């Protein structure tokens, strides 16, 4: 009898243990208590667990809580006071929660100013932040455009998809010392060494926050962070689960290119499995449109921006048009060498070709994809692996103009993260694809129809002939057959010309079919054939294409002793980075005398130590690194 009672008690205990944890469906809506506006992106979760979700665009949420009664549901979002709701019944729960706006903006948490979470007011450096709500509510076309509105940011836009961000007044086209980090990975291309911005970056659906340190951050993030650093942080697969889709369309309109459609599609899926231990996410993003057409042909950058009329090449024989290419190199022709010192030395340039004739097309597109796998051993210890791919076509304006075709960068990352430390390792692999230098293409097309060593003397002698009114140009002096100038311009014969008319005559003759096949007309079969031939060749070998298959490998660690040493805050860390630069001689001197590729290796390493102390009841913080 006693045994039966014991058995019954055991069975009752088992029943209790089985029914103690139930699957309870919780759904509802979150709104602003002051104006009843629905709030999107609000974090709704079971306290002290990873169980929960976020509200959608309509402020609604729904999730299943596998837990025991009673439990507490926490509702929180930046800018509002946290609200907790206690659940005591296992019936279907409908929660409508009103949040009260919080004006204590100084309590906003930032991470990267000191490599640890802290109030924005306690940050030792100026830091600007865009949180998830600001990113969702921005009126900018993309989240990257919204960054421009942060204090201290200056932006240069050189194409539809390529924006260069700068701080501290370093407003050059591509600020190589402004570092951009996505989830701990440097976004700069390993070989070309410019921050790829959002051309090869992250999907807007996956961005959780952006933090900007506009000042020097060299002590904690390395020497390249001298001019500032931007951190783009993505959503983890535990707090942001489910499928998200986004489609955008618009029209770009310019005087040169006209009206063109613009498309962008973003897809994100994330899920946490096995009691929220294993999490994964995938992202895909594609954008297509028509890039800007550069058509400034009248501005002479050789004359510090002076503008000329329609006859620039006679008004300025060394004319270097803003968007003309092949006219960059200047030649000084001492006419005394031809026996006419009275005309001094003339400075001339080849005739440039328009950018629109040299660019294959102005189609622009970007494809971005990434996948991440996370595993939580405990709430404080997590391991993750990440793969990111970016590929695109655009126009890049640096010191020269480049047509970037199938530019690609891949990144692999592994990370072990604890509340007291992290160990991170990643690699970046770049590939310039079929990209080429537009300026070099224009120059080599000029060389293709008549090399400069032949063109320059012809120009000089023709100039003298026009000034003297000579009927015969003695080209036999330079190994060319004599040419009757009357066939070019009868007005010159016997009629000495002024300098401007002489320059016009010299250019006309040196580019005519009398001395060569003649200058290729843009769009002609000869022009297109020469263009494709030069693009197919490598830069440095008579061509305009360049190769960049450089790699970069980065390893770093950080240890935070804040909870171990209570007298003061202390953290330290270090990194080792290795570049392998490979361009097969088109960018770097990485080719031996036999033409074999010899990649250049560069090692870089550093370490840091940071100490901090709160004084006077946390009213004063001293820190040094």
């Amino acid at each position: 009898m006693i045994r039966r009672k014991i058995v019954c008690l055991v069975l009752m205990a088992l029943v209790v243990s089985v029914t103690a944890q139930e699957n309870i469906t919780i759904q509802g809506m979150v709104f602003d208590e002051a104006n009843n506006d629905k709030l999107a992106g609000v974090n709704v979760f079971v306290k002290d667990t990873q169980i929960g979700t976020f509200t959608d665009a309509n402020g609604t949420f729904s999730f299943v809580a596998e837990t025991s009664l009673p439990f507490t549901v926490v509702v929180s979002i930046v800018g509002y006071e946290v609200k907790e709701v206690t659940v005591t019944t296992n019936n279907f729960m409908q929660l409508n929660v009103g949040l009260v706006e919080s004006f204590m903006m100084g309590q906003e948490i930032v991470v990267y100013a000191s490599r640890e979470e802290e109030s924005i007011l306690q940050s030792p450096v100026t830091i600007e932040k865009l949180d998830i709500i600001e990113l969702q509510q921005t009126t900018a076309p993309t989240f990257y455009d919204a960054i421009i509105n942060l204090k201290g940011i200056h932006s240069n836009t050189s194409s539809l998809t390529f924006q260069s961000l700068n701080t501290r007044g370093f407003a050059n086209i591509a600020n190589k010392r402004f570092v951009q980090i996505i989830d701990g990975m440097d976004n700069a291309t390993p070989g070309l060494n410019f921050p790829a911005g959002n051309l090869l970056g992250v999907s807007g659906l996956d961005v959780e926050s952006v933090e900007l340190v506009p000042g020097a951050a060299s002590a904690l993030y390395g020497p390249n962070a001298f001019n500032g650093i931007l951190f783009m942080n993505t959503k983890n697969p535990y707090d942001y689960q489910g499928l998200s889709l986004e489609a955008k369309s618009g029209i770009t309109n310019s005087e040169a290119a006209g009206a063109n459609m613009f498309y962008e599609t973003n897809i994100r899926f994330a899920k946490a499995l096995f009691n929220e231990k294993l999490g994964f996410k995938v992202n895909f993003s594609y954008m297509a449109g028509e890039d800007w057409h550069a058509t400034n042909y009248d501005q002479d950058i050789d004359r510090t921006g002076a503008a000329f009329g329609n006859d620039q090449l006679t008004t300025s024989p060394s004319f270097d048009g803003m968007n003309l290419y092949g006219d960059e190199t200047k030649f000084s022709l001492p006419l005394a060498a031809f026996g006419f010192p009275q005309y001094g030395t003339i400075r001339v340039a080849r005739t440039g070709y328009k950018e629109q004739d040299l660019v294959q097309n102005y189609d622009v597109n970007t494809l971005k994809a990434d996948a991440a796998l996370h595993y939580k051993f405990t709430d404080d210890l997590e391991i993750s692996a990440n793969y990111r791919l970016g590929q695109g076509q655009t126009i890049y304006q640096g010191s020269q103009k480049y047509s970037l075709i199938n530019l690609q960068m891949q990144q692999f990352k592994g990370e072990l993260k604890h509340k007291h430390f992290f160990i991170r390792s990643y690699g970046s692999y770049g590939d310039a694809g079929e990209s080429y230098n537009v300026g070099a293409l224009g120059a080599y097309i000029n060389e293709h129809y008549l090399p400069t060593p032949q063109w320059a003397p012809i120009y000089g002698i023709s100039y003298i002939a026009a000034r003297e009114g000579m009927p015969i140009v003695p080209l036999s002096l330079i190994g060319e057959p004599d040419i009757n100038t009357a066939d070019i311009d009868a007005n010159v014969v016997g009629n000495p010309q002024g300098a401007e008319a002489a320059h016009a005559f010299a250019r006309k003759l040196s580019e005519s079919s009398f001395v060569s096949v003649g200058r290729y007309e843009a769009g002609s079969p000869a022009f297109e054939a020469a263009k494709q031939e030069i693009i197919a060749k490598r830069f440095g070998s008579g061509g305009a294409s360049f190769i960049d298959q450089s790699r970069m490998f980065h390893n770093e660690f950080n240890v935070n002793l804040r909870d171990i040493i209570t007298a003061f805050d202390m953290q330290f860390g270090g990194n080792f980075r290795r570049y392998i630069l490979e361009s097969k001689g088109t960018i770097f001197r990485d080719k031996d005398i036999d033409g074999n590729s010899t990649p250049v290796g560069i090692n870089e390493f550093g370490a840091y130590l940071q100490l901090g102390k709160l004084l006077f009841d946390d009213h004063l913080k001293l820190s040094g690194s």
Side-chain angles (χ1 to χ4, degrees), residues 89-401:
T89 176
N90 60 358
N91 293 329
F92 177 81
M93 293 298 300
Q94 177 75 25
L95 300 179
N96 292 322
V97 182
L99 297 184
V100 178
E101 191 171 0
S102 171
F103 295 97
M104 298 296 292
M105 296 308 293
Q107 294 180 355
E108 187 173 10
I109 300 301
V110 294
V111 177
Y112 294 99
S114 301
R115 283 189 179 264
E116 62 181 354
E117 290 189 359
E118 61 187 344
S119 163
I120 196 169
L121 289 181
Q122 291 183 335
S123 168
V125 296
T126 300
I127 189 166
E128 301 290 326
K129 182 177 181 179
L130 287 173
D131 60 37
I132 189 170
I133 298 300
E134 292 170 306
L135 291 170
Q136 290 175 342
Q137 295 179 349
T138 180
T139 57
T142 68
F143 86 93
Y144 204 78
D145 293 289
I147 297 173
I148 299 172
N149 298 323
L150 290 175
K151 185 171 64 178
I153 279 282
H154 179 89
S155 172
N156 283 298
T157 302
S158 60
S159 71
L160 186 61
T161 59
F162 204 97
Q163 291 174 314
S164 176
L165 301 179
N166 300 276
T167 56
R168 304 187 69 202
F170 295 91
N172 57 322
I173 293 175
N175 185 0
K176 299 178 177 62
R177 288 187 176 272
F178 181 78
V179 179
Q180 299 183 41
I181 303 290
I182 299 177
D183 290 340
M185 293 187 288
D186 192 335
N187 194 35
T189 55
L192 299 177
N193 192 36
F194 58 76
N198 208 34
L199 173 65
L200 307 176
V202 60
S203 165
L205 274 181
D206 197 35
V207 181
E208 182 185 45
S209 65
V210 175
E211 294 184 27
L212 167 71
V213 181
S218 301
L220 297 182
Y221 294 102
N224 260 10
F226 176 75
N227 291 350
I229 188 166
L230 180 74
F231 300 92
M232 291 169 275
N233 313 303
T234 65
K235 301 172 182 175
N236 68 63
Y238 301 104
D239 296 335
Y240 301 85
Q241 298 188 42
L243 176 66
S244 302
L245 302 173
E246 180 183 60
K248 299 179 182 179
S249 181
I251 297 176
T252 59
N253 201 338
S254 67
E255 185 177 330
N260 297 281
M261 294 300 297
F262 167 90
Y263 307 93
E264 183 178 4
T265 302
N266 297 295
I267 303 173
R268 181 184 187 272
F269 180 74
K271 185 68 175 175
L273 306 169
F274 306 116
N275 199 25
E276 306 291 320
K277 292 289 187 181
L278 180 67
F280 72 92
K281 67 174 181 178
V282 292
N283 285 280
F284 175 84
S285 176
Y286 182 77
M287 187 278 292
E290 178 85 358
D291 218 329
W292 310 118
H293 293 210
T295 58
N296 186 345
Y297 304 128
D298 295 328
Q299 189 171 10
D300 186 354
I301 60 177
D302 185 47
R303 292 287 186 90
T304 62
F308 292 87
N310 295 326
D311 198 16
Q312 305 102 326
L313 291 173
T314 56
T315 308
S316 174
S318 60
F319 183 81
D320 182 4
M322 179 70 73
N323 300 127
L324 296 173
Y325 301 97
D327 56 358
E328 293 81 9
T329 304
K330 315 303 173 191
F331 307 96
S332 294
L333 299 177
L335 300 185
F338 301 109
F340 295 89
Q342 65 271 30
Y343 299 126
T345 297
I346 58 174
R347 190 166 182 261
V348 298
R350 302 292 294 262
T351 305
Y353 286 97
K354 294 180 178 180
E355 179 180 309
Q356 64 187 25
D357 297 321
L358 298 174
V359 172
Q360 296 279 62
N361 62 69
Y362 282 96
D363 293 342
V364 60
N365 59 75
T366 65
L367 185 151
K368 293 173 281 191
D370 68 85
L373 186 65
H374 296 247
Y375 185 81
K376 280 191 173 183
F377 298 99
T378 67
D379 286 343
D380 295 330
L381 183 63
E382 178 182 332
I383 192 170
S384 63
N386 182 222
Y387 169 74
R388 189 178 301 279
L389 167 68
Q391 181 172 316
Q393 173 173 310
T394 188
I395 303 295
Y396 172 63
Q397 175 69 64
S399 57
Q400 298 188 54
K401 183 74 68 105

Side-chain angles (χ1 to χ4, degrees), residues 442-459:
Y444 278 123
I445 289 179
N446 272 332
E447 296 296 318
H448 194 277
Y449 84 84
L450 184 63
T452 297
Q454 298 177 43
W455 176 87
I458 293 173
Y459 188 103

Side-chain angles (χ1 to χ4, degrees), residues 26 28-31 38-57 59-63 72-85 95 97-99 117 131-133 136 208 235-241 276 376:
I26 300 175
M29 181 177 63
V30 182
F31 58 92
K38 309 301 186 293
L39 296 178
V42 180
N43 193 5
V44 184
F45 64 97
V46 178
K47 190 174 183 178
D48 298 325
T49 74
Q50 296 291 330
I51 303 172
T53 186
F54 283 78
T55 58
D56 60 19
T60 60
F61 66 90
S62 178
F63 68 94
T72 301
V73 175
V74 180
V75 183
S76 68
I77 190 172
V78 174
Y80 288 84
E81 295 179 2
V82 177
K83 183 167 284 190
E84 297 184 354
V85 180
L95 300 179
V97 182
L99 297 184
E117 290 189 359
D131 60 37
I132 189 170
I133 298 300
Q136 290 175 342
E208 182 185 45
K235 301 172 182 175
N236 68 63
Y238 301 104
D239 296 335
Y240 301 85
Q241 298 188 42
E276 306 291 320
K376 280 191 173 183

Side-chain angles (χ1 to χ4, degrees), residues 479-490:
E480 296 289 338
D482 291 347
I483 295 172
N484 191 334
T485 58
D487 294 330
I488 302 295
D489 191 340

